[in-house]
Amino acid sequence: MRCVIARFPFELTKDGVLESMKGVKPEPVTGDSVVIGRRHYPAKQVGQVVTRQDRRDFSGGEVLRAMTRLGFTCRTAPEAAEVAEVAEVAEVAEARIADPLQRASLMLGAPMSI
């Protein structure tokens, strides 16, 4: 399938992308991601491997659009408003915890007993 990434046309196939990404270790996902096999890859990493271009030359959206058209599952980064809302809920929950031991337990992610 013909896909345009960073103003360059590429003939990409699902099998070709799978072959290109074989053996590539996924980086931590902090934004847009593509699910290839059972692994979640950052969109920019997929674009770099598949096109052999520098990550600064294309956007994650271009990669997501191309990978979606090829049939891969793609996920977009959460919006800033959603992230702020989650942080606000966490602050409220943290404010309810008065005991320093419970606060430390929450910060470490250990199960909390009440």
Side-chain angles (χ1 to χ4, degrees):
M1 175 177 292
R2 185 174 186 270
C3 301
V4 177
I5 300 175
R7 298 184 312 256
F8 291 100
F10 292 94
E11 282 295 328
L12 300 177
T13 62
K14 188 167 187 170
D15 291 335
V17 172
L18 289 169
E19 186 66 31
S20 295
M21 296 304 293
K22 190 182 291 183
V24 176
K25 183 179 175 190
E27 297 171 359
V29 175
T30 58
D32 299 336
S33 65
V34 181
V35 179
I36 299 176
R38 289 182 284 169
R39 297 181 175 190
H40 294 259
Y41 292 90
K44 291 274 197 165
Q45 182 182 12
V46 174
Q48 181 180 20
V49 171
V50 170
T51 66
R52 296 184 184 97
Q53 293 184 343
D54 191 273
R55 295 177 188 205
R56 295 171 291 187
D57 293 339
F58 55 86
S59 70
E62 291 175 295
V63 176
L64 290 182
R65 189 168 35 254
M67 296 300 114
T68 300
R69 287 179 58 203
L70 289 173
F72 291 101
T73 302
C74 299
R75 297 204 167 90
T76 58
E79 297 296 323
E82 292 175 19
V83 173
E85 184 178 318
V86 170
E88 185 178 315
V89 170
E91 283 179 21
V92 170
E94 190 174 318
R96 291 186 197 148
I97 301 172
D99 183 20
L101 184 60
Q102 287 179 339
R103 185 179 307 273
S105 179
L106 178 68
M107 291 172 69
L108 293 172
M112 200 169 64
S113 61
I114 297 177

